[in-house]
């Protein structure tokens, strides 16, 4: 995969040199190129922003440098059009599903904005030629899109073939399509067996695979109910077994257990 990032803060993208993304690049699985937007300005102050038409606070990024930058990136290489990804709090939510979708594209170009955003005509112009995604990484406001580029790139890079050790690593990801009933992952433990007088839950030492699986599923439900009740609400009743329904009832989902989870599904142990 090739990734281009056009930014006024190229140093902000330095983390792409290390860790999983850095290793993927070193191994030739990922080609990342970071460009300074100011290279495509022509005035002596390298102006990239101006006041908004119609008034209002803040500054808007001018269209000309973006147009020249994106055309130059496009001209440098590939016989296909890239996918343009623009981080913005008003974009489509970035989810594991979108990460999977983007990981299947050969070429992504990121356009992180500063200030109050980029002149709308840039998005409209490139949307006529390229696939364009305006993407939000969450309901909070950053000072610029660069941190979002790091987030999206890491989520995408770890899905590329050969980047993670084994293919199985993805299957249990919380939010991975097909993960256990769309639940959050439960707690994990490793050596030593006793740390600061804290033991490992005995079931994990039991060697009883059925009981371990049941316990993990219960933990996942407890954590999901506590941190993401919305995931429980929209979970398909058909994926719940008798134990799940009993646990959810115990956790206070009693009414819904009556209404929605009343269906008989064979339990894991049966
Ligand atoms: N999700 C999200 C994106 C952003 C920004 S601010 C400027 C560009 C992108 N904030 N929050």
């Amino acid at each position: 995969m090739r990734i281009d990032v056009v930014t006024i803060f190229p140093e902000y993208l330095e983390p792409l040199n290390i860790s999983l993304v850095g290793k993927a690049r070193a191994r030739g699985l990922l080609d990342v190129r970071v460009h300074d937007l100011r290279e495509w300005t022509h005035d002596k102050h390298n102006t990239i922003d101006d006041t908004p038409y119609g008034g209002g606070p803040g500054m808007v990024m001018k269209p000309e440098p973006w147009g020249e930058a994106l055309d130059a990136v496009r001209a440098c290489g590939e016989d296909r059009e890239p996918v343009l990804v623009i981080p913005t709090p008003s974009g489509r939510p970035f989810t594991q599903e979108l990460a999977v979708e983007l990981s299947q594209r050969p070429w992504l170009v990121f356009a992180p904005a500063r200030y109050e955003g980029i002149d709308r005509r840039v998005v409209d112009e490139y949307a006529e030629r390229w696939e364009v995604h305006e993407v939000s990484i969450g309901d909070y406001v950053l000072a610029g899109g660069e941190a979002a580029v790091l987030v999206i790139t890491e989520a995408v890079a770890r899905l590329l073939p050969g980047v993670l050790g084994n293919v199985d690593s993805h299957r249990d990801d919380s939010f991975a399509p097909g993960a256990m009933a769309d639940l959050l992952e439960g707690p994990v433990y490793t050596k030593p067996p006793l740390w600061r007088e804290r033991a490992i839950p005995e079931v994990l030492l039991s060697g009883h695979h059925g009981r371990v699986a049941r316990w993990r599923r219960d933990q996942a439900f407890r954590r999901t109910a506590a941190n993401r009740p919305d995931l429980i609400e929209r979970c398909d009743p058909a994926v719940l077994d008798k134990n799940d329904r009993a646990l959810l009832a115990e956790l206070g989902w009693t009414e819904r257990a009556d209404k929605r989870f009343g269906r008989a599904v064979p339990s894991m142990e049966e």
Side-chain angles (χ1 to χ4, degrees), residues 165-216:
N166 66 54
V167 196
D168 238 31
S169 317
H170 302 309
R171 219 206 34 239
D172 285 344
D173 290 353
S174 288
F175 306 113
M180 182 167 64
D182 284 324
L183 298 174
L184 302 184
E185 280 168 24
V188 294
Y189 301 86
T190 186
K191 270 73 70 185
L194 195 63
W195 179 75
R196 298 189 180 181
E197 296 181 54
R198 294 168 186 277
I200 305 295
E202 81 86 27
V203 61
L204 297 179
L205 309 172
S206 71
H208 192 303
H209 299 306
R211 269 193 263 152
V212 169
R214 180 75 258 165
W215 180 85
R216 286 192 169 142

Short mmCIF file of all heavy atoms in Angstrom, two decimals, residues 165-216:
data_model
loop_
_atom_site.label_atom_id
_atom_site.label_comp_id
_atom_site.label_asym_id
_atom_site.label_seq_id
_atom_site.Cartn_x
_atom_site.Cartn_y
_atom_site.Cartn_z
N GLY A 165 2.00 -10.79 12.77
CA GLY A 165 2.52 -12.15 12.67
C GLY A 165 1.57 -13.14 12.04
O GLY A 165 1.84 -13.67 10.96
N ASN A 166 0.42 -13.38 12.68
CA ASN A 166 -0.51 -14.34 12.11
C ASN A 166 -1.86 -13.72 11.79
O ASN A 166 -2.30 -12.76 12.40
CB ASN A 166 -0.65 -15.58 13.02
CG ASN A 166 -1.31 -15.24 14.34
OD1 ASN A 166 -2.39 -14.67 14.37
ND2 ASN A 166 -0.66 -15.59 15.43
N VAL A 167 -2.51 -14.30 10.79
CA VAL A 167 -3.78 -13.79 10.28
C VAL A 167 -4.85 -13.84 11.37
O VAL A 167 -5.78 -13.03 11.39
CB VAL A 167 -4.24 -14.63 9.06
CG1 VAL A 167 -5.33 -13.90 8.29
CG2 VAL A 167 -3.06 -14.94 8.17
N ASP A 168 -4.71 -14.80 12.30
CA ASP A 168 -5.68 -15.02 13.37
C ASP A 168 -5.74 -13.83 14.32
O ASP A 168 -6.73 -13.64 15.01
CB ASP A 168 -5.29 -16.27 14.15
CG ASP A 168 -6.41 -17.29 14.15
OD1 ASP A 168 -7.16 -17.34 13.15
OD2 ASP A 168 -6.52 -18.03 15.15
N SER A 169 -4.69 -13.00 14.35
CA SER A 169 -4.63 -11.88 15.29
C SER A 169 -5.81 -10.94 15.15
O SER A 169 -6.20 -10.29 16.10
CB SER A 169 -3.35 -11.08 15.08
OG SER A 169 -2.26 -11.93 14.90
N HIS A 170 -6.37 -10.83 13.95
CA HIS A 170 -7.47 -9.90 13.70
C HIS A 170 -8.82 -10.43 14.17
O HIS A 170 -9.70 -9.67 14.47
CB HIS A 170 -7.61 -9.60 12.21
CG HIS A 170 -6.38 -9.05 11.61
ND1 HIS A 170 -5.72 -7.97 12.16
CD2 HIS A 170 -5.68 -9.41 10.52
CE1 HIS A 170 -4.66 -7.70 11.41
NE2 HIS A 170 -4.62 -8.56 10.42
N ARG A 171 -8.97 -11.77 14.17
CA ARG A 171 -10.30 -12.34 14.28
C ARG A 171 -11.02 -11.94 15.56
O ARG A 171 -12.21 -11.70 15.56
CB ARG A 171 -10.23 -13.86 14.15
CG ARG A 171 -11.38 -14.43 13.35
CD ARG A 171 -11.69 -15.87 13.71
NE ARG A 171 -11.46 -16.15 15.11
CZ ARG A 171 -10.62 -17.07 15.57
NH1 ARG A 171 -9.93 -17.81 14.75
NH2 ARG A 171 -10.47 -17.26 16.87
N ASP A 172 -10.28 -11.84 16.67
CA ASP A 172 -10.91 -11.56 17.97
C ASP A 172 -10.89 -10.08 18.33
O ASP A 172 -11.34 -9.71 19.39
CB ASP A 172 -10.22 -12.37 19.07
CG ASP A 172 -10.61 -13.83 19.04
OD1 ASP A 172 -11.61 -14.16 18.37
OD2 ASP A 172 -9.92 -14.64 19.67
N ASP A 173 -10.37 -9.24 17.45
CA ASP A 173 -10.36 -7.80 17.74
C ASP A 173 -11.76 -7.37 18.16
O ASP A 173 -12.73 -7.67 17.48
CB ASP A 173 -10.00 -6.96 16.50
CG ASP A 173 -8.54 -7.10 16.09
OD1 ASP A 173 -7.77 -7.73 16.84
OD2 ASP A 173 -8.18 -6.56 15.03
N SER A 174 -11.86 -6.62 19.27
CA SER A 174 -13.14 -5.96 19.56
C SER A 174 -13.47 -5.16 18.31
O SER A 174 -12.60 -4.49 17.77
CB SER A 174 -13.00 -5.01 20.75
OG SER A 174 -12.88 -5.73 21.95
N PHE A 175 -14.69 -5.23 17.85
CA PHE A 175 -15.16 -4.49 16.67
C PHE A 175 -14.79 -5.12 15.34
O PHE A 175 -15.26 -4.67 14.31
CB PHE A 175 -14.68 -3.03 16.65
CG PHE A 175 -15.03 -2.29 17.90
CD1 PHE A 175 -14.03 -1.87 18.75
CD2 PHE A 175 -16.34 -2.06 18.24
CE1 PHE A 175 -14.35 -1.20 19.92
CE2 PHE A 175 -16.66 -1.39 19.41
CZ PHE A 175 -15.66 -0.97 20.25
N ALA A 176 -13.95 -6.16 15.34
CA ALA A 176 -13.68 -6.82 14.07
C ALA A 176 -14.98 -7.42 13.58
O ALA A 176 -15.71 -8.01 14.37
CB ALA A 176 -12.63 -7.91 14.24
N PRO A 177 -15.28 -7.25 12.28
CA PRO A 177 -16.49 -7.93 11.78
C PRO A 177 -16.36 -9.42 12.11
O PRO A 177 -15.34 -10.02 11.84
CB PRO A 177 -16.43 -7.67 10.28
CG PRO A 177 -15.60 -6.44 10.11
CD PRO A 177 -14.59 -6.50 11.23
N GLY A 178 -17.39 -9.98 12.75
CA GLY A 178 -17.34 -11.39 13.11
C GLY A 178 -16.73 -11.66 14.48
O GLY A 178 -16.60 -12.80 14.88
N ALA A 179 -16.33 -10.59 15.20
CA ALA A 179 -15.83 -10.81 16.56
C ALA A 179 -16.98 -11.33 17.41
O ALA A 179 -18.14 -11.20 17.05
CB ALA A 179 -15.31 -9.51 17.15
N MET A 180 -16.64 -11.93 18.55
CA MET A 180 -17.64 -12.55 19.40
C MET A 180 -18.80 -11.60 19.71
O MET A 180 -18.67 -10.70 20.52
CB MET A 180 -16.98 -13.03 20.70
CG MET A 180 -17.90 -13.74 21.63
SD MET A 180 -17.00 -14.58 22.93
CE MET A 180 -16.24 -13.22 23.78
N ALA A 181 -19.92 -11.80 19.05
CA ALA A 181 -21.16 -11.07 19.30
C ALA A 181 -20.95 -9.55 19.42
O ALA A 181 -21.71 -8.88 20.10
CB ALA A 181 -21.82 -11.62 20.57
N ASP A 182 -19.93 -9.00 18.79
CA ASP A 182 -19.64 -7.56 18.88
C ASP A 182 -19.50 -7.10 20.33
O ASP A 182 -20.05 -6.07 20.72
CB ASP A 182 -20.70 -6.75 18.15
CG ASP A 182 -20.50 -6.82 16.64
OD1 ASP A 182 -19.34 -6.85 16.21
OD2 ASP A 182 -21.51 -6.86 15.93
N LEU A 183 -18.77 -7.87 21.10
CA LEU A 183 -18.52 -7.51 22.50
C LEU A 183 -17.12 -6.94 22.63
O LEU A 183 -16.25 -7.21 21.80
CB LEU A 183 -18.62 -8.76 23.38
CG LEU A 183 -19.97 -9.46 23.41
CD1 LEU A 183 -19.87 -10.76 24.20
CD2 LEU A 183 -21.05 -8.56 23.98
N LEU A 184 -16.90 -6.18 23.70
CA LEU A 184 -15.54 -5.73 24.01
C LEU A 184 -14.75 -6.93 24.52
O LEU A 184 -15.33 -7.88 25.06
CB LEU A 184 -15.57 -4.63 25.07
CG LEU A 184 -16.39 -3.39 24.70
CD1 LEU A 184 -16.26 -2.35 25.80
CD2 LEU A 184 -15.97 -2.82 23.35
N GLU A 185 -13.44 -6.88 24.38
CA GLU A 185 -12.62 -7.97 24.89
C GLU A 185 -12.49 -7.87 26.40
O GLU A 185 -12.47 -6.78 26.96
CB GLU A 185 -11.26 -7.97 24.20
CG GLU A 185 -11.37 -8.64 22.83
CD GLU A 185 -10.15 -8.45 21.95
OE1 GLU A 185 -9.06 -8.21 22.50
OE2 GLU A 185 -10.32 -8.55 20.73
N GLY A 186 -12.41 -9.02 27.01
CA GLY A 186 -12.29 -9.10 28.47
C GLY A 186 -10.84 -8.95 28.92
O GLY A 186 -9.96 -8.69 28.11
N PRO A 187 -10.59 -9.11 30.24
CA PRO A 187 -9.24 -8.94 30.78
C PRO A 187 -8.32 -10.08 30.36
O PRO A 187 -8.78 -11.18 30.04
CB PRO A 187 -9.47 -8.97 32.29
CG PRO A 187 -10.71 -9.77 32.47
CD PRO A 187 -11.57 -9.49 31.27
N VAL A 188 -7.01 -9.80 30.33
CA VAL A 188 -6.01 -10.82 30.01
C VAL A 188 -4.96 -10.85 31.11
O VAL A 188 -4.77 -9.87 31.82
CB VAL A 188 -5.36 -10.54 28.63
CG1 VAL A 188 -6.37 -10.68 27.51
CG2 VAL A 188 -4.70 -9.16 28.60
N TYR A 189 -4.29 -11.98 31.25
CA TYR A 189 -3.30 -12.19 32.32
C TYR A 189 -2.10 -12.95 31.77
O TYR A 189 -2.23 -13.71 30.82
CB TYR A 189 -3.91 -13.01 33.45
CG TYR A 189 -5.13 -12.38 34.10
CD1 TYR A 189 -6.40 -12.59 33.56
CD2 TYR A 189 -5.00 -11.58 35.23
CE1 TYR A 189 -7.52 -12.01 34.14
CE2 TYR A 189 -6.12 -11.00 35.81
CZ TYR A 189 -7.38 -11.21 35.27
OH TYR A 189 -8.48 -10.64 35.83
N THR A 190 -0.93 -12.71 32.40
CA THR A 190 0.24 -13.52 32.07
C THR A 190 1.05 -13.76 33.34
O THR A 190 0.61 -13.43 34.44
CB THR A 190 1.09 -12.84 30.97
OG1 THR A 190 2.15 -13.73 30.59
CG2 THR A 190 1.68 -11.51 31.45
N LYS A 191 2.24 -14.35 33.23
CA LYS A 191 3.09 -14.62 34.37
C LYS A 191 3.51 -13.30 35.03
O LYS A 191 3.57 -12.28 34.32
CB LYS A 191 4.33 -15.41 33.92
CG LYS A 191 4.19 -16.91 33.96
CD LYS A 191 3.30 -17.49 32.85
CE LYS A 191 3.93 -17.41 31.47
NZ LYS A 191 2.99 -17.89 30.42
N PRO A 192 3.79 -13.23 36.32
CA PRO A 192 3.80 -14.37 37.25
C PRO A 192 2.37 -14.69 37.75
O PRO A 192 1.51 -13.83 37.71
CB PRO A 192 4.67 -13.86 38.41
CG PRO A 192 4.42 -12.39 38.41
CD PRO A 192 4.23 -11.98 36.97
N PRO A 193 2.18 -15.91 38.25
CA PRO A 193 0.85 -16.31 38.72
C PRO A 193 0.38 -15.52 39.94
O PRO A 193 -0.83 -15.42 40.17
CB PRO A 193 1.00 -17.80 39.04
CG PRO A 193 2.46 -18.03 39.16
CD PRO A 193 3.14 -17.03 38.30
N LEU A 194 1.34 -14.98 40.73
CA LEU A 194 0.97 -14.15 41.88
C LEU A 194 1.76 -12.86 41.79
O LEU A 194 3.00 -12.89 41.73
CB LEU A 194 1.28 -14.91 43.18
CG LEU A 194 0.62 -14.34 44.45
CD1 LEU A 194 -0.90 -14.42 44.39
CD2 LEU A 194 1.16 -15.08 45.68
N TRP A 195 1.09 -11.74 41.75
CA TRP A 195 1.75 -10.43 41.69
C TRP A 195 1.10 -9.49 42.68
O TRP A 195 -0.10 -9.28 42.63
CB TRP A 195 1.66 -9.85 40.26
CG TRP A 195 2.29 -8.49 40.12
CD1 TRP A 195 3.63 -8.21 40.08
CD2 TRP A 195 1.61 -7.24 40.03
NE1 TRP A 195 3.82 -6.86 39.97
CE2 TRP A 195 2.60 -6.23 39.94
CE3 TRP A 195 0.27 -6.87 40.03
CZ2 TRP A 195 2.29 -4.89 39.82
CZ3 TRP A 195 -0.05 -5.52 39.92
CH2 TRP A 195 0.95 -4.54 39.81
N ARG A 196 1.92 -8.98 43.65
CA ARG A 196 1.41 -8.11 44.72
C ARG A 196 0.17 -8.72 45.36
O ARG A 196 -0.84 -8.06 45.55
CB ARG A 196 1.15 -6.70 44.20
CG ARG A 196 2.44 -6.07 43.69
CD ARG A 196 2.31 -4.60 43.36
NE ARG A 196 3.59 -4.09 42.88
CZ ARG A 196 3.81 -2.84 42.52
NH1 ARG A 196 2.83 -1.96 42.58
NH2 ARG A 196 4.99 -2.46 42.10
N GLU A 197 0.30 -10.02 45.62
CA GLU A 197 -0.75 -10.81 46.28
C GLU A 197 -2.01 -10.97 45.44
O GLU A 197 -3.04 -11.42 45.93
CB GLU A 197 -1.10 -10.22 47.65
CG GLU A 197 0.09 -10.26 48.61
CD GLU A 197 -0.27 -9.70 49.98
OE1 GLU A 197 -1.26 -10.17 50.57
OE2 GLU A 197 0.44 -8.79 50.42
N ARG A 198 -1.91 -10.61 44.16
CA ARG A 198 -3.05 -10.78 43.26
C ARG A 198 -2.85 -12.03 42.43
O ARG A 198 -1.82 -12.18 41.76
CB ARG A 198 -3.18 -9.57 42.33
CG ARG A 198 -3.53 -8.31 43.06
CD ARG A 198 -3.36 -7.09 42.16
NE ARG A 198 -3.57 -5.88 42.92
CZ ARG A 198 -4.77 -5.36 43.19
NH1 ARG A 198 -5.86 -5.94 42.71
NH2 ARG A 198 -4.89 -4.28 43.91
N ALA A 199 -3.84 -12.92 42.48
CA ALA A 199 -3.76 -14.20 41.78
C ALA A 199 -4.44 -14.10 40.41
O ALA A 199 -5.09 -13.12 40.09
CB ALA A 199 -4.41 -15.29 42.61
N ILE A 200 -4.23 -15.12 39.62
CA ILE A 200 -4.90 -15.26 38.33
C ILE A 200 -6.26 -15.92 38.59
O ILE A 200 -6.33 -16.84 39.41
CB ILE A 200 -4.06 -16.17 37.40
CG1 ILE A 200 -2.62 -15.66 37.24
CG2 ILE A 200 -4.74 -16.35 36.05
CD1 ILE A 200 -2.49 -14.33 36.56
N PRO A 201 -7.33 -15.46 37.95
CA PRO A 201 -8.62 -16.16 38.12
C PRO A 201 -8.43 -17.67 37.92
O PRO A 201 -7.85 -18.08 36.91
CB PRO A 201 -9.49 -15.54 37.03
CG PRO A 201 -8.93 -14.17 36.84
CD PRO A 201 -7.44 -14.32 37.04
N GLU A 202 -8.86 -18.44 38.89
CA GLU A 202 -8.51 -19.87 38.90
C GLU A 202 -8.99 -20.62 37.66
O GLU A 202 -8.35 -21.56 37.21
CB GLU A 202 -8.98 -20.53 40.22
CG GLU A 202 -10.45 -20.91 40.29
CD GLU A 202 -10.74 -22.29 39.69
OE1 GLU A 202 -9.82 -23.15 39.69
OE2 GLU A 202 -11.88 -22.49 39.23
N VAL A 203 -10.10 -20.17 37.08
CA VAL A 203 -10.63 -20.85 35.89
C VAL A 203 -9.60 -20.88 34.76
O VAL A 203 -9.53 -21.85 34.00
CB VAL A 203 -11.97 -20.21 35.43
CG1 VAL A 203 -11.78 -18.75 35.04
CG2 VAL A 203 -12.57 -20.99 34.25
N LEU A 204 -8.75 -19.85 34.68
CA LEU A 204 -7.76 -19.78 33.60
C LEU A 204 -6.65 -20.80 33.79
O LEU A 204 -5.91 -21.11 32.86
CB LEU A 204 -7.18 -18.36 33.48
CG LEU A 204 -8.18 -17.26 33.12
CD1 LEU A 204 -7.48 -15.91 33.05
CD2 LEU A 204 -8.87 -17.57 31.79
N LEU A 205 -6.51 -21.31 35.03
CA LEU A 205 -5.48 -22.30 35.31
C LEU A 205 -6.05 -23.71 35.27
O LEU A 205 -5.34 -24.69 35.42
CB LEU A 205 -4.86 -22.04 36.69
CG LEU A 205 -4.38 -20.60 36.96
CD1 LEU A 205 -3.98 -20.45 38.44
CD2 LEU A 205 -3.23 -20.24 36.05
N SER A 206 -7.37 -23.80 35.09
CA SER A 206 -8.07 -25.08 35.21
C SER A 206 -7.81 -26.02 34.05
O SER A 206 -7.98 -27.23 34.18
CB SER A 206 -9.58 -24.85 35.34
OG SER A 206 -10.12 -24.42 34.09
N GLY A 207 -7.44 -25.47 32.91
CA GLY A 207 -7.25 -26.31 31.73
C GLY A 207 -8.56 -26.78 31.11
O GLY A 207 -8.56 -27.56 30.16
N HIS A 208 -9.67 -26.28 31.65
CA HIS A 208 -10.98 -26.67 31.14
C HIS A 208 -11.41 -25.66 30.08
O HIS A 208 -11.91 -24.58 30.38
CB HIS A 208 -11.98 -26.72 32.30
CG HIS A 208 -13.29 -27.37 31.96
ND1 HIS A 208 -14.09 -26.92 30.94
CD2 HIS A 208 -13.94 -28.43 32.52
CE1 HIS A 208 -15.17 -27.68 30.88
NE2 HIS A 208 -15.11 -28.60 31.82
N HIS A 209 -11.21 -26.01 28.80
CA HIS A 209 -11.41 -25.04 27.71
C HIS A 209 -12.83 -24.51 27.65
O HIS A 209 -13.05 -23.34 27.37
CB HIS A 209 -11.02 -25.67 26.37
CG HIS A 209 -9.59 -26.08 26.32
ND1 HIS A 209 -8.56 -25.21 26.60
CD2 HIS A 209 -8.99 -27.27 26.04
CE1 HIS A 209 -7.40 -25.84 26.50
NE2 HIS A 209 -7.63 -27.10 26.17
N GLY A 210 -13.79 -25.36 27.93
CA GLY A 210 -15.20 -24.96 27.91
C GLY A 210 -15.49 -23.90 28.97
O GLY A 210 -16.12 -22.87 28.70
N ARG A 211 -14.95 -24.15 30.19
CA ARG A 211 -15.20 -23.19 31.27
C ARG A 211 -14.45 -21.88 31.04
O ARG A 211 -14.93 -20.81 31.37
CB ARG A 211 -14.82 -23.80 32.63
CG ARG A 211 -15.99 -24.50 33.29
CD ARG A 211 -15.68 -24.82 34.74
NE ARG A 211 -15.22 -26.20 34.86
CZ ARG A 211 -14.40 -26.65 35.82
NH1 ARG A 211 -13.93 -25.81 36.73
NH2 ARG A 211 -14.04 -27.91 35.86
N VAL A 212 -13.25 -21.98 30.45
CA VAL A 212 -12.48 -20.77 30.11
C VAL A 212 -13.26 -19.93 29.10
O VAL A 212 -13.42 -18.72 29.27
CB VAL A 212 -11.08 -21.12 29.56
CG1 VAL A 212 -10.42 -19.88 28.96
CG2 VAL A 212 -10.20 -21.73 30.65
N ALA A 213 -13.79 -20.59 28.08
CA ALA A 213 -14.55 -19.86 27.04
C ALA A 213 -15.79 -19.19 27.64
O ALA A 213 -16.09 -18.04 27.33
CB ALA A 213 -14.96 -20.81 25.92
N ARG A 214 -16.47 -19.92 28.53
CA ARG A 214 -17.67 -19.37 29.18
C ARG A 214 -17.30 -18.14 30.02
O ARG A 214 -17.96 -17.10 29.98
CB ARG A 214 -18.30 -20.45 30.06
CG ARG A 214 -19.54 -20.07 30.80
CD ARG A 214 -20.75 -20.00 29.90
NE ARG A 214 -21.09 -18.64 29.56
CZ ARG A 214 -21.92 -18.30 28.57
NH1 ARG A 214 -22.47 -19.24 27.79
NH2 ARG A 214 -22.17 -17.05 28.31
N TRP A 215 -16.21 -18.28 30.80
CA TRP A 215 -15.77 -17.19 31.68
C TRP A 215 -15.39 -15.95 30.85
O TRP A 215 -15.75 -14.84 31.18
CB TRP A 215 -14.59 -17.66 32.53
CG TRP A 215 -14.06 -16.62 33.47
CD1 TRP A 215 -14.54 -16.34 34.73
CD2 TRP A 215 -12.97 -15.72 33.24
NE1 TRP A 215 -13.81 -15.32 35.29
CE2 TRP A 215 -12.85 -14.92 34.42
CE3 TRP A 215 -12.10 -15.52 32.18
CZ2 TRP A 215 -11.87 -13.94 34.52
CZ3 TRP A 215 -11.13 -14.53 32.30
CH2 TRP A 215 -11.02 -13.75 33.47
N ARG A 216 -14.66 -16.20 29.77
CA ARG A 216 -14.26 -15.07 28.92
C ARG A 216 -15.46 -14.36 28.32
O ARG A 216 -15.49 -13.13 28.25
CB ARG A 216 -13.33 -15.55 27.79
CG ARG A 216 -11.94 -15.88 28.29
CD ARG A 216 -10.97 -16.07 27.15
NE ARG A 216 -9.61 -16.13 27.65
CZ ARG A 216 -8.65 -16.93 27.18
NH1 ARG A 216 -8.93 -17.75 26.17
NH2 ARG A 216 -7.46 -16.91 27.71
#
